[in-house]
DNA sequence: CATCATTTAGTTGTGCGCAATTAAATTGTG
DNA sequence: CACAATTTAATTGCGCACAACTAAATGATG
């Protein structure tokens, strides 16, 4: 990928103008990729009637079974301000039910309905088509995720 | 869409169930990093009274001078549905003026006010602090950008 | 030149993402 | 036990992203 390690500039040596460009590019690249993913997912998930964040929430439930809102939020790094309306929409679509936990009345358990469980079958082929659309090899994807993980940790906003 | 020899990633060996796990979603890593950037930018730009998308728009104007809305949108891959209210907010903040072009009355020219031009000085140290916050080396950043660029191109949603 | 198509912004509506606040239940402590 | 602190969701408000639509100006065509 980058076989020859040429004179590698340190951040402290670069002029502001250069940093401005670099900064612009890296954040912009990130958002552009994120937005491109959004478009592909919108197409892939349109038939299922899910948005991408809704799909993420469904995946957590498919994988782990009934969970309180808090746990879903931890898995997705989302707070109740985002999740509450999202889960309400999933409930309105008949995919989940929300009911307060008997043992702890603060907590709201979210569980799949039959329709929500069955939707998993139709969602199974989605990841493969998405990954194929990236044009990246498995190794590249893993390397990318590793870098992004470190980046996110450094930026320190795990929420 | 991709007539040239498709460099098919080696995904065929992994079972669907494995792919469907949250941990294997590149997109999730990407969005997490993107949101983490948002948080850091929010802190860095708070003093300037700018959001990150507003900062991007200001950067385009700082770099290129007065531009029609359409051109700003092309630079940032944003449409009028996003830009119109954003530019209105910048105008309300006294940073830009918007006036219809005399030679083409359809087009709206956006130009910096004095306050908008002067804001650039206060924005200059932002990129360095952002890049430092990433914890990545310059070569890692360049490699990341390269991968993200290919990714975005493959996903094919440049706008 | 009259009409239709295209271009350019704006508007509306939906759905995040997040900060700040509120309300209720639970826990901890004197 | 009483009361303060904490936990858990929900709500409100703001801004962005995008689709779908509208309105106005311009360009193209017969």
């Amino acid at each position: 990928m980058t076989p020859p390690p040429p004179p590698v500039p340190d951040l402290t040596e670069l002029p502001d103008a250069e940093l401005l460009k670099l900064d612009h590019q890296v954040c912009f690249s990130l958002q552009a990729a994120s937005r491109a993913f959004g478009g592909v997912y919108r197409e892939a998930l349109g038939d299922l009637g899910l948005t991408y964040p809704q799909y993420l929430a469904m995946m957590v439930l498919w994988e782990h079974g009934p969970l309180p809102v808090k746990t879903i939020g931890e898995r997705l790094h989302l707070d109740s301000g985002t999740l509450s309306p999202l889960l309400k929409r999933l409930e309105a679509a008949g995919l989940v039910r929300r009911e307060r936990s008997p043992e702890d009345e603060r907590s709201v358990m979210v569980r799949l309905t039959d329709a929500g469980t069955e939707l998993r079958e139709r969602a199974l082929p989605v990841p493969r088509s998405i990954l194929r659309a990236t044009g990246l090899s498995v190794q590249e994807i893993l390397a990318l995720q590793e870098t992004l993980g470190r980046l996110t940790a450094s930026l320190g906003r795990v929420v």
Side-chain angles (χ1 to χ4, degrees), chain A:
Chain A
M1 199 177 300
T2 47
V8 171
D10 192 340
L11 278 185
T12 55
E13 300 166 4
L14 294 171
D16 277 338
E18 203 62 25
L19 285 177
L20 195 82
K21 204 162 61 173
L22 191 60
D23 165 68
H24 188 326
Q25 287 170 355
V26 70
C27 287
F28 197 76
S29 305
L30 210 54
Q31 290 215 337
S34 197
R35 205 133 25 80
F37 258 114
V40 173
Y41 267 110
R42 195 171 303 120
E43 189 174 350
L45 295 174
D47 289 343
L48 309 184
L50 293 176
T51 65
Y52 175 63
Q54 289 166 8
Y55 167 71
L56 287 180
M58 292 297 288
M59 278 207 296
V60 173
L61 294 170
W62 284 327
E63 189 177 353
H64 293 95
L67 290 175
V69 174
K70 176 182 173 52
T71 307
I72 300 176
E74 285 168 354
R75 289 289 287 182
L76 303 181
H77 304 315
L78 294 173
D79 68 1
S80 65
T82 301
L83 277 180
S84 288
L86 185 153
L87 293 172
K88 270 188 177 177
R89 283 186 283 271
L90 289 181
E91 187 174 45
L95 299 176
V96 307
R97 274 179 303 127
R98 299 178 308 141
E99 40 202 26
R100 296 212 97 93
S101 167
E103 58 268 11
D104 188 340
E105 292 272 342
R106 293 171 301 183
S107 158
V108 168
M109 287 298 287
V110 183
R111 65 184 69 243
L112 294 166
T113 62
D114 289 347
T117 302
E118 288 162 10
L119 194 65
R120 183 175 190 272
E121 303 305 316
R122 296 174 56 202
L124 275 179
V126 168
R128 193 181 301 278
S129 70
I130 295 289
L131 287 176
R132 190 155 31 222
T134 64
L136 300 180
S137 70
V138 170
Q139 294 88 335
E140 283 180 308
I141 287 174
L142 294 178
L144 176 61
Q145 280 190 254
E146 191 276 331
T147 302
L148 291 177
R150 251 180 321 122
L151 177 58
T152 304
S154 284
L155 294 176
R157 302 271 311 179
V158 191
V159 178

